[in-house]
């Protein structure tokens, strides 16, 4: 009997409806909601989609998923076209609410295939749709894993860039350009991985570097401030107190006491 390295994925989802539509520039869809999931795959043009009052601008290759019961609408910033699918799936299905298709456009092609199969009358239509729905489920779950991995890598890369030049840290906008992402993407990555904004995380790293120098060297406060990119010794002192709850002098004495311990 042949062996396998894993079990078959049995998807609980079902395609209810599907099709394609588009709007001219300035066109709008009225706010609406569904009792099922809706997946919209944007093929051309740009659109602003609003879900529960929060707007997001999207372009070609963007995938937007709206869970059941959420109010959403679209406004065409340019003429656009898309594929849409209405999908029966558990509310807790681990899909991304926003994703970008891969370089080959795998999900875009898959959505097109599902729409075409759904509109046909082949005798094996139900079986084919079940297979396509299973592939769609797997690809959306993969997008979540890839985004999670990319988020972690993005934060680590940003922190490495900062560590290489703590005296002259890049503004968040320029750091995002260096990393090849939008500033909003960088902020979201830090919020997800560090629970704070990039600015707060970088300030903490800089203060930590300064604290290490304070506890392990005889550099003056002015020298440490200069090395770590602070405007002045008093600026550094405020950060030390905020981070450690004590003055730089007290922190240095603590470091000296530890060094002298047997």
């Amino acid at each position: 009997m042949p062996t396998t390295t894993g079990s078959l994925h049995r998807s609980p989802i079902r395609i209810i409806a599907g099709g394609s539509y588009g709007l001219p520039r300035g066109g709008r869809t009225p706010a609406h909601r569904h009792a099922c999931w809706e997946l919209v795959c944007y093929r051309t043009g740009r659109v602003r989609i609003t879900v529960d009052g929060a707007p997001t601008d999207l372009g070609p290759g963007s995938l937007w998923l709206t869970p059941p019961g959420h109010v959403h609408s679209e406004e065409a910033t340019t003429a656009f076209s898309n594929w849409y699918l209405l999908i029966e799936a558990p509310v807790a299905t681990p899909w991304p609410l926003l994703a970008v298709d891969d370089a080959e456009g795998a999900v875009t092609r898959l959505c097109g295939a599902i729409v075409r199969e759904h509109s046909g009358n082949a005798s094996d239509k139900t079986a084919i749709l079940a297979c396509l729905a299973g592939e769609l489920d797997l690809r959306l779950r993969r997008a979540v894993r890839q985004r999670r991995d990319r988020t972690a890598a993005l934060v680590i890369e940003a922190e490495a860039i900062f560590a290489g030049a703590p005296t002259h840290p890049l503004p968040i906008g320029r750091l995002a350009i260096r990393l090849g992402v939008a500033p909003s993407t960088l902020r979201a990555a830090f919020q997800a991985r560090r629970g704070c904004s990039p600015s707060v995380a970088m300030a903490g790293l800089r203060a930590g570097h300064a604290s290490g120098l304070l506890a392990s060297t005889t550099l003056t406060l002015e020298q440490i401030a200069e090395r770590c990119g602070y405007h002045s010794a008093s600026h550094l002192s405020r950060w030390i107190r905020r981070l450690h709850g004590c003055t730089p002098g007290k922190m240095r004495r603590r470091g000296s006491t530890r060094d002298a311990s047997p």
Side-chain angles (χ1 to χ4, degrees):
M1 179 181 294
T3 59
T4 61
T5 58
S7 60
L8 292 175
H9 176 75
R10 298 185 181 279
S11 173
I13 78 171
R14 182 174 69 88
I15 306 300
I16 300 173
S20 64
Y21 74 90
L23 289 173
R25 180 178 180 179
R28 298 169 181 258
T29 60
H32 59 286
R33 71 179 77 196
H34 300 289
C36 60
W37 283 82
E38 182 181 30
L39 165 61
V40 182
C41 175
Y42 292 97
R43 301 158 62 194
T44 63
R46 299 198 64 82
V47 62
R48 172 167 293 180
I49 185 165
T50 300
V51 178
D52 295 335
T56 302
D57 293 322
L58 304 176
S62 297
L63 310 170
W64 185 273
L65 288 102
T66 306
H70 291 260
V71 177
H72 55 286
S73 62
E74 293 167 304
E75 179 183 356
T77 49
T78 72
F80 75 83
S81 64
N82 65 26
W83 299 116
Y84 73 90
L85 299 173
L86 298 182
I87 308 170
E88 183 180 274
V91 174
T93 302
W95 288 341
L97 299 185
L98 174 63
V100 178
D101 203 357
D102 62 24
E104 289 73 36
V107 177
T108 301
R109 291 201 307 272
L110 182 57
C111 288
I114 291 173
V115 169
R116 288 188 292 271
E117 191 65 38
H118 192 273
S119 63
N121 295 304
S123 59
D124 55 359
K125 169 181 172 179
T126 300
I128 293 294
L129 280 175
C131 291
L132 294 175
E135 181 183 352
L136 179 63
D137 184 19
L138 287 170
R139 289 193 177 277
L140 293 175
R141 291 169 186 262
R142 175 187 290 178
V144 172
R145 294 194 302 271
Q146 289 175 335
R147 185 174 63 181
R148 187 181 300 121
D149 293 343
R150 175 55 180 155
T151 296
L154 190 61
V155 170
I156 292 170
E157 192 174 352
E159 291 176 342
I161 291 173
F162 174 81
T167 307
H168 302 289
L170 292 173
I172 298 306
R174 289 177 58 192
L175 180 60
I177 292 173
R178 173 92 173 264
L179 293 168
V181 298
S184 59
T185 299
L186 185 59
R187 292 189 185 96
F190 269 88
Q191 191 63 47
R193 304 301 300 190
R194 298 290 183 255
C196 62
S197 69
S199 298
V200 170
M202 296 308 177
L205 288 174
R206 181 168 58 171
H209 180 54
S211 300
L213 292 176
L214 186 64
S216 62
T217 73
T218 58
L219 292 171
T220 66
L221 204 58
E222 289 77 9
Q223 290 172 323
I224 294 174
E226 184 177 355
R227 287 195 179 192
C228 296
Y230 289 95
H231 303 310
S232 63
S234 61
H235 184 204
L236 171 57
S237 295
R238 287 195 297 272
W239 268 103
I240 293 295
R241 285 194 296 269
R242 182 181 301 179
L243 189 66
H244 298 286
C246 66
T247 65
K250 187 172 182 179
M251 186 175 180
R252 172 158 277 174
R253 287 192 295 274
R254 287 176 181 172
S256 300
T257 300
R258 283 195 298 268
D259 292 341
S261 300

